[in-house]
Amino acid sequence: MRFAPPAHAAVFFVDRIFLDSPAEPSLAPPALDVMFRRSFNRFCAGEEKQVGTRTVFVGQHPTSAAEDYIAQRFFDNRIVSSKYTLWNFLPKNLFEQFRRIANFYFLIIFLVQVTVDTPTSPVTSGLPLFFVITVTAIKQGYEDWLRHRADNEVNKRNVYIIENAKRVRKESEKIKVGDVVEVQADETFPCDLILLSSCTSDGTCYVTTASLDGESNCKTHYAVRDTIALCTPESIDTLRAVIECEQPQPDLYKFVGRISICSNSLEAVARSLGPENLLLKGATLKNTKKIYGVAVYTGMETKMALNYQGKSQKRSAVEKSINLFLVVYLFILLTKAAVCTILKYVWQSTSYNDEPWYNQKTQKERDTLKVLKVFTDFLSFMVLFNFIIPVSMYVTVEMQKFLGSFFISWDKDFYDEEINEGALVNTSDLNEELGQVDYVFTDKTGTLTENSMEFIECCIDGHKYKGVTQETDGLPQTDGPLTYFDKADKNREELFLRALCLCHTVEIKTNDAVDGATELAEVTYVSSSPDEIALVKGAKKYGFTFLGIQNGHMRVENQRKEIEEYKLLHTLNFDSVRRRMSVIVKTQAGDILLFCKGADSAVFPRVQNHDIESTKAHVERNAMPGALDSLHTIAVQSALPLPEPKDGYRTLCVAFKEIAPDDYERIDRQLIEAKMVLQDREEKMEKVFDDIETNMNLIGATAVEDKLQDQAAETIEALHAAGLKVWVLTGDKMETAKSTCYACRLFQTSTELLELTTKTIKESERKEDRLHELLIEYRKKLLHEFPKSTKSLKKAWTEQQEYGLIIDGSTLSLILNSGQDSGSNNYKSIFIQICMKCTAVLCCRMAPLQKAQIVRMVKNLKGSPITLSIGDGANDVSMILESHVGIGIKGKEGRQASRNSDYSLPKFKHLKKLLLAHGHLYYVRIAHLVQYFFYKNLCFILPQFLYQFFCGFSQQPLYDAAYLTMYNICFTSLPILAYSLLEQHINIDTLTSDPHLYMKISGNAMLQWSPFLYWTFLAAFEGIVFFFGTYFLFQTLSLEETAKVYGNWTFGTIVFTVLVFTVTLKLALDTRFWTWINHFVIWGSLAFYVFFSFFWGGIIWPFLKQQRMYFVFAQMLSSVSTWLAIVLLIFISLFPEILLIVLKNVRRRSTRRNLSCKKASDSLSARPSVRPLLLRTFSDESNIL
C-alpha cells in the first residue's frame, strides 16, 4: 500500500501540494482531504520547506490536476555492496590497479619495449605485469562475486506488503518508501520501518540488533498510540497519515520525525517519532508474532547500508618505508641507465667501435638525430635494468597480510568461552603496525574493568546502608559531619528505594506478558546499561521490586508486598553530555514526581545546597582508595610493603522534586513542542531538560562496584616493560579512575603523581596563571630527572623514577582550547613535554571528542609515534578511528567499538599476546620480506649492469628472456611468502614472557637506513661475486676435455644458477622455524628451477625465432669444473652471512653462560624478594594487616 503520487516520491513543499485552487472548485478534493491538509499545515508550519527533512504519505492520497506536486525520487530497496558489474569490471579494475605507481611504471616499461627497439622482449616485462594484474583482478573479482551473491540473497527475499487491504508477496528489492510491510517473528526487517502496530495490545515489539551493533539483548520498540489498533490488513488500509522525518544519516541511535494521522475528527493528530519507533534493517523481530511498519528509508539509504560504507584508509609505517626504498632503487636505476648511456657514446667515440665491419649501420640509423638516439638508448638501458624494481613484491605483501591475518582469528588463546567468540580482524593492512606501537590509549569501564556491576551500598541522607537488611533495619553507618538520627527517616528510605525502582530504562524479560500469574516468577532484567540493572537489583535486596511496565504504568512491589503503580509521563533520557537521567511519574494519589539520578558533578549543582554535604562525604569516600593513607603510614612504620589501593566504586546521586499540576502542564507542553521539532530537536530538548531538572532535593547516593578484568594488571605491567606508554582516557570521576589505575598497576606505589585538575588549579579568578605555574613547575622537575642528553627516553623511564600525570577534561579544555593567543600555544607545548616524560597518564572526566583530541595530539608529536586505542563503548569510537590502530572490546555496552575497529578482542588481557607476540612476529616477517625483495632484485640486476662493460654497452642481455620473466614469479616467490607467514625467530612463549624483546624492534628498527644499507651492500657483494667469479672461470674458454668453447648464454646461465641457489639458500639460513611447508617450497623451488631449465633447453620451441638456449643447461652441467665453480661461488657468496651467524651464536651462548652464573651467585646471598607482596591487591593486604 502506497500513497497515490508517483512511485517513491518525497514531498518537500507541502504548502504547495495541499494548496486549494479557487479557480477550479470542481477539482477540489473532498472535505476530509481539505480538513486533513489544513491540520497538517498547522502542525508542520514553518518546517515543511527545510531541506533536511523528507515527507512520506501513507495510504491513498487522491490528487487533482490543479494541485502542484513537487516530487523527489527515493532509492529503491536494492542493497548494492558490490563494486563492479559485468560491463565495468575490466576498465574500472584496470584503472584502479594502474593508479599504483609500480604497476604504472611497469606499464610504461612494457610500452617502451613495444614501441622502441629494446634489447629484451616485451614479454619479459609484460608477462610479470600481466601475472600481477591478473592475480589481483581474480582476487578482487571473486570477492565482488561473493558480494553480488550476498546482495541477491537479500534483495530476492520474499516479503509481504499491504496493498488494497490484502497481503501481497513481493521481492524485498521492490519495496518502496511509503509501503506498509508485514514482518513475522524471527524475520529480519527488510528496510527501515516506522512501527505502526504489533500483535500485542500495547503496540510494543521486541527486537535484537546483534547484526548491527552486536547487542544480543532484546530492545523494546513502541508504536504511537493512535495506530496501535491497526492490526489487520483491512484496518491498515484505512490509515491515512503523513510522516515527516530527517534525511538518512548513519547514526543507529538517532532518529527525528513526526507523524500526522488523519481521523474522522476535525483535526489531524500529530505525534513525535524517535529511535524507539524506528525498526532498523538487519534487526530481527523476537518474541512478537508480527508487526506492521511503514518504510521510510530503503536500500542504500537505510542506516545499515550507510554504516557499512567505507571508512578512511589507514596506512602502516612499513608502506612508507617501501615507498622510500623504491625511490632509492629508482634513483639507482636511473643512475645505471645514465652511466651506461654515457659510457656507450664514450666507447663509440672511435670509429671502429662505433661501426665495426661486421655490424654496419643502415642509412636510416646514420640519418637519425643524435639526441633522439641518446634518448632511445637511455630508455633501452632503463628497460634492461627495470627488474631492479620489484613489482611482484606488492602482490606478495598483500597475500602475506591477507593470509597472515587468519593466524589472529585462529589463535585459541583469544577465544572467550563466556561470549563464545574469538578475535576478529576487520582489516589486514595493519598487522605489522601491531609491532610498532608506542602509545596505548585505553578506556576504563568495560575495558580495564568487567562492566559487570554489583550493588555494594547506598547512602540515604548521610546514613550508609550496606549488606542485605530486612525492611532496611540494618546497621546504618553515618558519613560526614552532619548526623540527624541513627538511621534515615523511614519515609526517606522508601522514597529513595522507589527512586531506584522508577528512574531507569530497565525492561522485564519473561516468556509471557507480565500478569498476576507471573508476578511471583523469577524475572530477568534487561537494559543497555549494567549500572541500571545493578541498581534495580540493589533496590530488590532492600524489599522494593520492579515488576515492569504495563499499559504505561510502572509497577513496583514494596516491602509490605503491596503493588504500587505509577503512570510514566515522561522519560528524560541519559546522554554523555548531561550525565544524568530523569523520569516524571504520577502516583495513584495524583501527585506528580520527578526522580533524577546521575553523576555527582551533574546532580550537585541542581539540588538545594543544604542537602549536599553529608552525601558528598559519602561519595568521595567511596570513590577514594579505601583507607590508603593510614595503611601507608602503618606500612612505613612496620617496614611492610606498601599496599595497593582498593578498587574505587562507581557512585550515582539520587534526587527528586514534586511538580505542581500547573507547572506540569507547562513542562508537558514544552516537552511535546520540543519532541515535535524536526530540526535541532536534541538541542531544544536538552534545554527543556535543563529547565526541568533544577531546584531538586537530594535523597542519597549509590555505590556500585565494577570489578577489574582478569589479568588486566599483568597486561599493563607487560606493556610498560615493553616500553609502551599507557594512557587511560575515561569519563569517570578522578578518585574512582585513580584507584582503578592503582589496582591495575598503571600507577605503582613508587610512582610520583602530578595533578592538573580543577582541585589543583582551584576556583581562582585567573585559572590560567595557576595552570601556567603548575606546568612550569612540573616541567622543571621532569627535565631535572630526564636531561636532554638521555639517548633513549624509553629506556630511561623504565630505569629511573616513574612519574604519572592526572588531568581532567576541564583542565584539558583550558590547555587546548583557551583561545588563539601565544600563551595558549605555550601551555600546549609545555603540556606535551610533560606528557612525553611520564610513564603513565590518566585523563578523567573526558568527553568522547576530547579522547580523540588527545590521540590526535600524540599522533602529531615529533617522530610521529604509533598510537593504539582500545575501548568497548560508543564513546570510544572517536579515539579508535583517530589512532593508527583501533581495537574494540566485545563488551557489554554493545559492539559499536568493535564494529569500527581494526581488530576486535574479547578481553583486554588478549592485548598482551596480540602486541608482544603477533605484532612482533608480523613486523619481523614483513620487514624481512621487504628487505629480501630489494636484495634479491639487486643481486639479479647488478651482473646485468657489469656485463655491459664487457659487451661494449650494446644492451646485450645477460639472461635469457624466460629467466627474466620467471625469476620473480616462480623461482624465488614461494620461499619468501612461506617465510613471511610461518617464521618464528623467537618462540611465541618467550616473546610473551619477555616484554623487553618488543623494544628491540620499536621505532621501525628493521626498516631503517642502516639495515637497508646492509642488505644493499650484501646484494652488491654477492652480485659482484656472481659475475666476476664466472668471468674468471671463463678465462679458460674450454670447459671440457673436448675443448668445446662455451658462449655468452652459458655464461649468463651459470650466473643465473648461482644467483637462484644463493638467494634461496640465504633465506634458508635466515629461517629459524622450520616446517614441512618451508622445506617443500625452498627445496621444491630449486628443483623446479633445474627441471624448468632442462625442459626449456631440451626442446626446440616452434614459436621462438632463435633457439639460443637449446641444450645449453644440460651441456653446462656435463662439465665437472662448472659444478665446482657453482658450488664454490655459492659458498663464497654466503660466507659473510655464515660467519655472522656463527659469531652471533658464540656471543649469545657466552651471554647466557654469564647470566646463569650471575643468577647462581645472586641466589646464594639474595634476601627474600618483596616484589610478590607489591603485587597483592589492597583487599588481600588488608586481610593480613
Side-chain angles (χ1 to χ4, degrees), residues 750-866:
S750 60
T751 303
E752 183 174 344
L753 297 183
L754 313 175
E755 290 190 14
L756 288 173
T757 62
T758 51
K759 287 185 179 180
T760 55
I761 295 175
K762 300 178 182 177
E763 297 296 332
S764 59
E765 294 182 0
R766 289 293 300 169
K767 293 181 181 179
E768 291 83 357
D769 294 340
R770 176 59 180 159
L771 175 62
H772 188 261
E773 290 176 8
L774 284 174
L775 289 172
I776 295 297
E777 177 186 339
Y778 292 161
R779 184 176 67 172
K780 286 182 179 178
K781 179 181 292 188
L782 291 169
L783 287 177
H784 175 73
E785 188 71 28
F786 303 106
K788 291 184 178 180
S789 59
T790 303
K791 292 183 179 179
S792 176
L793 184 63
K794 183 178 290 188
K795 293 181 179 179
W797 58 251
T798 58
E799 297 169 358
Q800 301 182 26
Q801 169 66 46
E802 293 185 359
Y803 286 90
L805 176 68
I806 300 178
I807 186 170
D808 58 15
S810 59
T811 309
L812 181 68
S813 298
L814 203 61
I815 292 174
L816 299 181
N817 307 318
S818 59
Q820 301 299 322
D821 57 351
S822 58
S824 172
N825 295 329
N826 190 35
Y827 291 166
K828 185 175 179 181
S829 63
I830 298 174
F831 174 68
I832 289 173
Q833 292 176 37
I834 294 171
C835 290
M836 289 182 66
K837 298 184 188 308
C838 289
T839 58
V841 177
L842 167 61
C843 303
C844 49
R845 296 295 195 189
M846 288 284 122
L849 289 179
Q850 284 183 312
K851 293 183 178 183
Q853 275 185 310
I854 288 284
V855 176
R856 191 180 306 116
M857 180 190 75
V858 174
K859 277 175 63 178
N860 296 330
L861 290 176
K862 185 178 180 181
S864 301
I866 304 300

Side-chain angles (χ1 to χ4, degrees), residues 7 119 211 365 416 560 617 648 675 912 928 1015 1026 1114 1162:
S211 61
E365 289 175 334
D416 186 73
R560 296 177 292 277
K675 288 180 180 178
K912 177 181 176 181
H928 200 283
W1015 282 87
F1026 300 158
D1162 289 346

Side-chain angles (χ1 to χ4, degrees), residues 600-639:
D600 57 323
S601 60
V603 174
F604 283 162
R606 298 180 174 274
V607 300
Q608 299 173 12
N609 288 332
H610 64 269
D611 293 339
I612 294 178
E613 290 303 321
S614 57
T615 304
K616 187 175 183 180
H618 173 85
V619 170
E620 290 180 350
R621 184 171 299 178
N622 273 326
M624 289 289 286
L628 180 61
D629 295 334
S630 60
L631 285 175
H632 185 281
T633 305
I634 295 172
V636 171
Q637 293 175 352
S638 306

Side-chain angles (χ1 to χ4, degrees), residues 1173 1176 1179-1185:
L1173 291 176
R1176 294 182 180 178
S1179 55
D1180 293 334
E1181 196 65 44
S1182 63
N1183 291 333
I1184 295 172
L1185 291 173

